[in-house]
């Protein structure tokens, strides 16, 4: 019963390096999301994908790109990492129906940019 | 824009104490309201929700009532346990096709035996 799986769990990057965070869900959910969590700021939406083939910006999209590879997978790419992108990143998914469907979260990726 | 404000943490209580975590919101229209809980090293999990005014969400002994007149959704539990130690997030969702949640800043709760 995997749910939402994120890789890697931890990552350290130097400023200017690039990387891709991977996310996959096995619940046949239409919608997927990327959030970042910073101390004292809760979670902020970076990008989301309402359905396969679509992506939209959230509250804090600058410095990130996403790809909805198929219904299961939604990746987040940092092209040129900056120290301000040090954070914990969470992927989530939600099922069909109304906006009341709960989000299912992965366990997060802790990223440090030095 | 939409926003959620939670009481500042951290909150430390003794086992069996009464818990209240305040949450107020600002939103256009009539959002759905949620409480999520995050245990150490894990992602967030839905604790409870309410979709319209005067609805009460409840789960695992926790309750919260959607109060439109005070724009609030306070979380309560009558008798907390050590296992309730976690970070609690209040969130709202506008009625859109995707679940674009707006989160409060989170309240860290520690329960001492």
């Amino acid at each position: 019963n995997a749910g939402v799986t994120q890789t890697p769990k931890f990552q350290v990057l130097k400023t200017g390096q690039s990387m891709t965070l991977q996310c996959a869900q096995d619940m046949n959910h239409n919608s997927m999301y990327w959030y970042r969590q910073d101390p004292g700021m809760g979670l902020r939406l970076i990008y989301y994908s309402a359905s396969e083939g679509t992506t939209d910006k959230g509250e804090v999209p600058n410095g990130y790109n996403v790809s909805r590879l198929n219904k299961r997978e939604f990746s987040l790419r940092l092209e040129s990492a900056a120290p301000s992108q040090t954070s914990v990143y969470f992927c989530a998914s939600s099922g069909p129906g109304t906006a009341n469907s709960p989000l299912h979260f992965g366990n997060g990726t802790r990223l440090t940019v030095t | 824009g939409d926003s959620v404000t939670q009481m500042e943490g951290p909150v430390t209580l003794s086992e069996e104490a009464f818990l209240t975590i305040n949450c107020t919101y600002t939103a256009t229209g009539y959002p759905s309201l949620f409480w999520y809980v995050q245990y150490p090293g894990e992602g967030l999990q839905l604790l409870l929700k309410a979709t319209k005014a005067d609805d009460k969400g409840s789960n695992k002994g926790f309750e919260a009532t959607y109060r439109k007149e005070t724009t609030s959704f306070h979380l309560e539990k009558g008798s907390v346990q050590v296992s309730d130690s976690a970070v609690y997030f209040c969130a709202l969702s506008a009625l859109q096709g995707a679940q674009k949640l707006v989160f409060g800043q989170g309240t860290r709760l520690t329960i001492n035996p």
Side-chain angles (χ1 to χ4, degrees):
Chain A
N1 194 14
V4 178
T5 303
Q6 292 182 235
T7 56
K9 291 190 192 313
F10 302 94
Q11 184 71 50
V12 178
L13 293 178
K14 294 189 167 132
T15 298
Q17 287 185 316
S18 62
M19 80 160 294
T20 299
L21 281 65
Q22 307 286 353
C23 175
Q25 52 91 9
D26 63 2
M27 295 172 283
N28 201 34
H29 284 167
N30 288 333
S31 302
M32 297 185 74
Y33 313 80
W34 278 105
Y35 284 88
R36 60 178 287 172
Q37 182 181 26
D38 300 295
M41 301 187 73
L43 277 76
R44 293 179 292 169
L45 183 64
I46 304 171
Y47 271 93
Y48 69 102
S49 171
S51 60
E52 187 179 356
T54 70
T55 61
D56 285 287
K57 295 178 181 178
E59 182 185 353
V60 288
N62 290 347
Y64 305 96
N65 285 301
V66 291
S67 295
R68 182 75 182 266
L69 304 168
N70 48 56
K71 192 169 186 180
R72 289 186 65 247
E73 298 173 287
F74 187 41
S75 62
L76 178 72
R77 182 159 179 85
L78 287 69
E79 290 291 352
S80 179
S84 61
Q85 294 178 305
T86 293
S87 188
V88 181
Y89 292 85
F90 286 99
C91 178
S93 68
S94 65
T98 70
N100 299 323
S101 300
L103 264 64
H104 298 258
F105 284 85
N107 285 346
T109 296
R110 184 174 295 275
L111 175 67
T112 302
V113 183
T114 61
Chain B
D2 297 347
S3 66
V4 175
T5 302
Q6 290 180 234
M7 68 185 286
E8 295 272 341
V11 174
T12 303
L13 296 172
S14 297
E15 205 165 21
E16 299 183 3
F18 184 84
L19 168 71
T20 301
I21 300 178
N22 290 338
C23 171
T24 57
Y25 67 90
T26 303
T28 54
Y30 302 97
S32 294
L33 301 173
F34 305 82
W35 277 100
Y36 279 80
V37 58
Q38 184 180 30
Y39 298 104
E42 298 183 9
L44 281 69
Q45 305 172 25
L46 178 67
L47 179 61
L48 54 84
K49 69 179 184 183
T51 59
K52 60 183 188 296
D54 300 325
D55 265 4
K56 178 187 281 189
S58 61
N59 186 24
K60 299 182 181 179
F62 291 89
E63 293 182 341
T65 301
Y66 189 148
R67 300 282 187 206
K68 181 166 168 282
E69 63 276 12
T70 54
T71 62
S72 65
F73 192 54
H74 304 321
L75 183 68
E76 296 182 335
K77 186 173 186 183
S79 177
V80 292
Q81 319 270 326
V82 172
S83 57
D84 294 326
S85 298
V87 182
Y88 292 81
F89 292 91
C90 186
L92 68 81
S93 170
L95 294 178
Q96 300 179 21
Q99 179 68 296
K100 290 173 65 178
L101 289 179
V102 175
F103 286 89
Q105 70 270 37
T107 301
R108 182 175 298 277
L109 173 66
T110 301
I111 307 299
N112 294 321

